[in-house]
Amino acid sequence: MDKHPLRERASKLHLGILVIRFEMPFNIWCGGCNNHIGMGVRYNAEKKKIGMYYTTPIWQFRMKCHLCDNYIEMHTDPQNFDYIVAAGGRRKEEQYQQEDAECAAAHEPEERKKLGTDAMFKLQYQVEDEKVIEAAEPIIDKLQERQEIWKDDYKSKSNSAEETQRRSQK
């Protein structure tokens, strides 16, 4: 009675299918019950090699929705470094806008090249960056003041010589 070390996970190994633990890489909508399935939800999925992209295997993951009887099928997309929801659901589109996050804009490749070679162009960017920094200084100062107010001084109390002496006496 030969048993495989992976036990029931390898029951379909002769078909090229291995049962693995799959974590949802992004938010999706189930095609069967139209419920939201969040990123990070884990499933027991059947993993099967379905093709190749140059020398990289393309994997198929097939799992059952935990809210209904629908099966969701996902494929790896090595060309775009992503996953594709092939059947049983659809990806929840979430677009990230740099302006909404209020963070510094990344330079385009042409701008980066010009910044490295054109001194006047670089100087213009430095002046604009300094203006942004000046505008942000009052906000940063306020945050630092509040941080001092909310500061947890447990660390400074516990490291005092008096505290150390009291602990050694116990």
Side-chain angles (χ1 to χ4, degrees):
M1 187 136 199
D2 292 332
K3 286 193 175 185
H4 196 277
L6 296 175
R7 295 188 296 231
E8 62 273 354
R9 289 181 48 209
S11 63
K12 296 182 182 179
L13 206 54
H14 64 284
L15 300 171
I17 297 171
L18 177 67
V19 177
I20 62 153
R21 201 73 176 138
F22 182 83
E23 186 170 332
M24 198 59 67
F26 42 73
N27 294 321
I28 69 166
W29 296 103
C30 176
C33 58
N34 288 322
N35 280 317
H36 175 262
I37 299 172
M39 176 173 56
V41 176
R42 294 190 178 126
Y43 292 95
N44 290 328
E46 295 178 347
K47 176 182 169 183
K48 182 179 182 181
K49 184 177 173 182
I50 58 168
M52 296 289 285
Y53 174 73
Y54 295 107
T55 58
T56 307
I58 298 173
W59 298 102
Q60 168 190 304
F61 302 96
R62 188 170 184 265
M63 62 216 96
K64 187 176 170 290
C65 175
H66 65 286
L67 302 167
C68 66
D69 291 334
N70 184 45
Y71 278 90
I72 300 165
E73 192 174 295
M74 298 184 74
H75 298 173
T76 56
D77 183 11
Q79 183 177 9
N80 298 315
F81 307 105
D82 203 4
Y83 289 91
I84 299 169
V85 182
R90 68 184 190 285
R91 186 175 187 158
K92 182 178 177 188
E93 292 299 324
E94 296 174 313
Q95 298 295 323
Y96 169 75
Q97 298 297 326
Q98 213 167 17
E99 297 81 34
D100 295 342
E102 296 179 5
C103 61
H107 301 296
E108 296 296 323
E110 302 87 37
E111 285 180 342
R112 267 188 259 132
K113 188 175 183 182
K114 202 170 180 182
L115 280 169
T117 57
D118 190 350
M120 290 302 289
F121 189 71
K122 185 176 181 179
L123 184 62
Q124 178 186 353
Y125 261 96
Q126 284 177 340
V127 170
E128 290 174 9
D129 288 345
E130 287 171 3
K131 288 179 184 175
V132 170
I133 290 170
E134 283 179 25
E137 267 184 36
I139 297 168
I140 293 171
D141 290 340
K142 276 186 181 179
L143 287 171
Q144 286 175 338
E145 287 173 16
R146 288 183 181 167
Q147 190 174 19
E148 282 298 315
I149 293 169
W150 297 330
K151 182 179 143 188
D152 181 17
D153 58 353
Y154 172 77
K155 200 173 195 179
S156 61
K157 286 180 184 175
S158 65
N159 289 336
S160 69
E162 175 182 311
E163 192 72 26
T164 309
Q165 184 180 12
R166 190 178 324 132
R167 286 193 182 137
S168 65
Q169 291 173 354
K170 287 184 180 180

